[in-house]
PDB file of all heavy atoms in Angstrom:
ATOM      1  N   VAL A1427      26.884  20.932  11.720  1.00 96.00           N
ATOM      2  CA  VAL A1427      28.044  21.831  11.672  1.00 96.00           C
ATOM      3  C   VAL A1427      27.591  23.288  11.696  1.00 96.00           C
ATOM      4  O   VAL A1427      28.161  24.129  12.408  1.00 96.00           O
ATOM      5  CB  VAL A1427      28.891  21.537  10.411  1.00 96.00           C
ATOM      6  CG1 VAL A1427      29.924  22.636  10.191  1.00 96.00           C
ATOM      7  CG2 VAL A1427      29.579  20.177  10.536  1.00 96.00           C
ATOM      8  N   ILE A1428      26.554  23.609  10.938  1.00 96.00           N
ATOM      9  CA  ILE A1428      26.081  24.992  10.847  1.00 96.00           C
ATOM     10  C   ILE A1428      25.416  25.437  12.152  1.00 96.00           C
ATOM     11  O   ILE A1428      25.702  26.520  12.673  1.00 96.00           O
ATOM     12  CB  ILE A1428      25.109  25.148   9.657  1.00 96.00           C
ATOM     13  CG1 ILE A1428      25.869  24.973   8.336  1.00 96.00           C
ATOM     14  CG2 ILE A1428      24.417  26.511   9.688  1.00 96.00           C
ATOM     15  CD1 ILE A1428      24.972  24.872   7.123  1.00 96.00           C
ATOM     16  N   THR A1429      24.511  24.615  12.698  1.00 95.00           N
ATOM     17  CA  THR A1429      23.794  25.031  13.911  1.00 95.00           C
ATOM     18  C   THR A1429      24.721  25.084  15.125  1.00 95.00           C
ATOM     19  O   THR A1429      24.474  25.867  16.052  1.00 95.00           O
ATOM     20  CB  THR A1429      22.612  24.087  14.198  1.00 95.00           C
ATOM     21  OG1 THR A1429      23.076  22.726  14.230  1.00 95.00           O
ATOM     22  CG2 THR A1429      21.548  24.230  13.118  1.00 95.00           C
ATOM     23  N   ASP A1430      25.774  24.267  15.135  1.00 95.00           N
ATOM     24  CA  ASP A1430      26.744  24.338  16.235  1.00 95.00           C
ATOM     25  C   ASP A1430      27.473  25.682  16.251  1.00 95.00           C
ATOM     26  O   ASP A1430      27.991  26.105  17.299  1.00 95.00           O
ATOM     27  CB  ASP A1430      27.766  23.206  16.132  1.00 95.00           C
ATOM     28  CG  ASP A1430      27.195  21.866  16.597  1.00 95.00           C
ATOM     29  OD1 ASP A1430      26.072  21.863  17.136  1.00 95.00           O
ATOM     30  OD2 ASP A1430      27.863  20.830  16.405  1.00 95.00           O
ATOM     31  N   ALA A1431      27.517  26.353  15.101  1.00 96.00           N
ATOM     32  CA  ALA A1431      28.201  27.644  15.014  1.00 96.00           C
ATOM     33  C   ALA A1431      27.299  28.818  15.376  1.00 96.00           C
ATOM     34  O   ALA A1431      27.762  29.955  15.456  1.00 96.00           O
ATOM     35  CB  ALA A1431      28.764  27.829  13.600  1.00 96.00           C
ATOM     36  N   ILE A1432      26.007  28.551  15.586  1.00 96.00           N
ATOM     37  CA  ILE A1432      25.067  29.615  15.944  1.00 96.00           C
ATOM     38  C   ILE A1432      25.123  29.835  17.455  1.00 96.00           C
ATOM     39  O   ILE A1432      24.982  28.880  18.223  1.00 96.00           O
ATOM     40  CB  ILE A1432      23.634  29.237  15.510  1.00 96.00           C
ATOM     41  CG1 ILE A1432      23.574  29.102  13.982  1.00 96.00           C
ATOM     42  CG2 ILE A1432      22.627  30.283  15.982  1.00 96.00           C
ATOM     43  CD1 ILE A1432      22.249  28.586  13.467  1.00 96.00           C
ATOM     44  N   PRO A1433      25.312  31.051  17.929  1.00 95.00           N
ATOM     45  CA  PRO A1433      25.445  31.298  19.374  1.00 95.00           C
ATOM     46  C   PRO A1433      24.158  30.998  20.130  1.00 95.00           C
ATOM     47  O   PRO A1433      23.056  31.042  19.573  1.00 95.00           O
ATOM     48  CB  PRO A1433      25.801  32.783  19.445  1.00 95.00           C
ATOM     49  CG  PRO A1433      25.295  33.369  18.179  1.00 95.00           C
ATOM     50  CD  PRO A1433      25.437  32.298  17.142  1.00 95.00           C
ATOM     51  N   ARG A1434      24.303  30.724  21.432  1.00 93.00           N
ATOM     52  CA  ARG A1434      23.160  30.346  22.260  1.00 93.00           C
ATOM     53  C   ARG A1434      22.146  31.469  22.409  1.00 93.00           C
ATOM     54  O   ARG A1434      20.957  31.211  22.600  1.00 93.00           O
ATOM     55  CB  ARG A1434      23.659  29.904  23.639  1.00 93.00           C
ATOM     56  CG  ARG A1434      24.392  28.577  23.625  1.00 93.00           C
ATOM     57  CD  ARG A1434      24.736  28.134  25.042  1.00 93.00           C
ATOM     58  NE  ARG A1434      25.421  26.852  25.049  1.00 93.00           N
ATOM     59  CZ  ARG A1434      25.820  26.230  26.164  1.00 93.00           C
ATOM     60  NH1 ARG A1434      25.609  26.802  27.350  1.00 93.00           N
ATOM     61  NH2 ARG A1434      26.431  25.065  26.089  1.00 93.00           N
ATOM     62  N   ASN A1435      22.605  32.719  22.354  1.00 95.00           N
ATOM     63  CA  ASN A1435      21.654  33.824  22.514  1.00 95.00           C
ATOM     64  C   ASN A1435      20.724  33.968  21.306  1.00 95.00           C
ATOM     65  O   ASN A1435      19.753  34.724  21.348  1.00 95.00           O
ATOM     66  CB  ASN A1435      22.384  35.138  22.786  1.00 95.00           C
ATOM     67  CG  ASN A1435      23.308  35.538  21.652  1.00 95.00           C
ATOM     68  OD1 ASN A1435      23.778  34.689  20.885  1.00 95.00           O
ATOM     69  ND2 ASN A1435      23.592  36.822  21.544  1.00 95.00           N
ATOM     70  N   VAL A1436      21.024  33.240  20.229  1.00 96.00           N
ATOM     71  CA  VAL A1436      20.106  33.145  19.089  1.00 96.00           C
ATOM     72  C   VAL A1436      19.354  31.819  19.159  1.00 96.00           C
ATOM     73  O   VAL A1436      18.130  31.763  19.117  1.00 96.00           O
ATOM     74  CB  VAL A1436      20.856  33.271  17.745  1.00 96.00           C
ATOM     75  CG1 VAL A1436      19.895  33.000  16.575  1.00 96.00           C
ATOM     76  CG2 VAL A1436      21.474  34.649  17.607  1.00 96.00           C
ATOM     77  N   GLY A1437      20.111  30.726  19.277  1.00 94.00           N
ATOM     78  CA  GLY A1437      19.500  29.407  19.390  1.00 94.00           C
ATOM     79  C   GLY A1437      19.645  28.574  18.145  1.00 94.00           C
ATOM     80  O   GLY A1437      19.432  29.066  17.033  1.00 94.00           O
ATOM     81  N   GLU A1438      20.012  27.296  18.341  1.00 92.00           N
ATOM     82  CA  GLU A1438      20.221  26.401  17.204  1.00 92.00           C
ATOM     83  C   GLU A1438      18.928  26.081  16.463  1.00 92.00           C
ATOM     84  O   GLU A1438      18.959  25.643  15.310  1.00 92.00           O
ATOM     85  CB  GLU A1438      20.868  25.102  17.686  1.00 92.00           C
ATOM     86  CG  GLU A1438      20.011  24.305  18.648  1.00 92.00           C
ATOM     87  CD  GLU A1438      20.666  23.011  19.092  1.00 92.00           C
ATOM     88  OE1 GLU A1438      21.883  22.844  18.885  1.00 92.00           O
ATOM     89  OE2 GLU A1438      19.948  22.161  19.651  1.00 92.00           O
ATOM     90  N   LYS A1439      17.774  26.326  17.100  1.00 94.00           N
ATOM     91  CA  LYS A1439      16.497  26.058  16.444  1.00 94.00           C
ATOM     92  C   LYS A1439      16.147  27.101  15.390  1.00 94.00           C
ATOM     93  O   LYS A1439      15.086  27.029  14.769  1.00 94.00           O
ATOM     94  CB  LYS A1439      15.380  25.957  17.483  1.00 94.00           C
ATOM     95  CG  LYS A1439      15.506  24.738  18.380  1.00 94.00           C
ATOM     96  CD  LYS A1439      14.348  24.621  19.356  1.00 94.00           C
ATOM     97  CE  LYS A1439      14.489  23.373  20.231  1.00 94.00           C
ATOM     98  NZ  LYS A1439      13.367  23.248  21.193  1.00 94.00           N
ATOM     99  N   LEU A1440      17.050  28.066  15.191  1.00 96.00           N
ATOM    100  CA  LEU A1440      16.887  29.016  14.077  1.00 96.00           C
ATOM    101  C   LEU A1440      16.756  28.265  12.764  1.00 96.00           C
ATOM    102  O   LEU A1440      16.002  28.666  11.871  1.00 96.00           O
ATOM    103  CB  LEU A1440      18.099  29.957  14.016  1.00 96.00           C
ATOM    104  CG  LEU A1440      18.151  30.913  12.827  1.00 96.00           C
ATOM    105  CD1 LEU A1440      17.114  32.015  12.995  1.00 96.00           C
ATOM    106  CD2 LEU A1440      19.542  31.517  12.666  1.00 96.00           C
ATOM    107  N   ILE A1441      17.498  27.164  12.643  1.00 96.00           N
ATOM    108  CA  ILE A1441      17.485  26.351  11.425  1.00 96.00           C
ATOM    109  C   ILE A1441      17.061  24.941  11.807  1.00 96.00           C
ATOM    110  O   ILE A1441      17.793  24.227  12.500  1.00 96.00           O
ATOM    111  CB  ILE A1441      18.862  26.332  10.742  1.00 96.00           C
ATOM    112  CG1 ILE A1441      19.290  27.760  10.397  1.00 96.00           C
ATOM    113  CG2 ILE A1441      18.834  25.453   9.498  1.00 96.00           C
ATOM    114  CD1 ILE A1441      20.698  27.862   9.858  1.00 96.00           C
ATOM    115  N   GLY A1442      15.879  24.555  11.407  1.00 93.00           N
ATOM    116  CA  GLY A1442      15.372  23.225  11.716  1.00 93.00           C
ATOM    117  C   GLY A1442      15.507  22.302  10.521  1.00 93.00           C
ATOM    118  O   GLY A1442      15.315  22.711   9.376  1.00 93.00           O
ATOM    119  N   LEU A1443      15.847  21.045  10.800  1.00 90.00           N
ATOM    120  CA  LEU A1443      15.973  20.043   9.743  1.00 90.00           C
ATOM    121  C   LEU A1443      14.806  19.078   9.848  1.00 90.00           C
ATOM    122  O   LEU A1443      14.656  18.371  10.846  1.00 90.00           O
ATOM    123  CB  LEU A1443      17.303  19.299   9.868  1.00 90.00           C
ATOM    124  CG  LEU A1443      17.599  18.272   8.760  1.00 90.00           C
ATOM    125  CD1 LEU A1443      17.733  18.981   7.405  1.00 90.00           C
ATOM    126  CD2 LEU A1443      18.864  17.486   9.082  1.00 90.00           C
ATOM    127  N   VAL A1444      13.973  19.062   8.835  1.00 86.00           N
ATOM    128  CA  VAL A1444      12.830  18.151   8.783  1.00 86.00           C
ATOM    129  C   VAL A1444      13.325  16.808   8.266  1.00 86.00           C
ATOM    130  O   VAL A1444      13.935  16.733   7.195  1.00 86.00           O
ATOM    131  CB  VAL A1444      11.728  18.711   7.855  1.00 86.00           C
ATOM    132  CG1 VAL A1444      10.534  17.780   7.811  1.00 86.00           C
ATOM    133  CG2 VAL A1444      11.310  20.100   8.321  1.00 86.00           C
ATOM    134  N   THR A1445      13.070  15.760   9.021  1.00 78.00           N
ATOM    135  CA  THR A1445      13.686  14.469   8.688  1.00 78.00           C
ATOM    136  C   THR A1445      12.739  13.465   8.061  1.00 78.00           C
ATOM    137  O   THR A1445      13.183  12.465   7.503  1.00 78.00           O
ATOM    138  CB  THR A1445      14.299  13.836   9.952  1.00 78.00           C
ATOM    139  OG1 THR A1445      13.282  13.728  10.957  1.00 78.00           O
ATOM    140  CG2 THR A1445      15.432  14.699  10.486  1.00 78.00           C
ATOM    141  N   THR A1446      11.425  13.690   8.165  1.00 74.00           N
ATOM    142  CA  THR A1446      10.489  12.727   7.585  1.00 74.00           C
ATOM    143  C   THR A1446       9.569  13.406   6.588  1.00 74.00           C
ATOM    144  O   THR A1446       9.255  14.588   6.703  1.00 74.00           O
ATOM    145  CB  THR A1446       9.625  12.050   8.666  1.00 74.00           C
ATOM    146  OG1 THR A1446       8.746  13.013   9.246  1.00 74.00           O
ATOM    147  CG2 THR A1446      10.489  11.432   9.751  1.00 74.00           C
TER     148      THR A1446
END
Side-chain angles (χ1 to χ4, degrees):
V1427 168
I1428 292 170
T1429 53
D1430 283 352
I1432 297 174
R1434 290 186 179 181
N1435 61 335
V1436 173
E1438 63 179 15
K1439 292 183 179 180
L1440 174 73
I1441 302 174
L1443 184 64
V1444 181
T1445 56
T1446 68

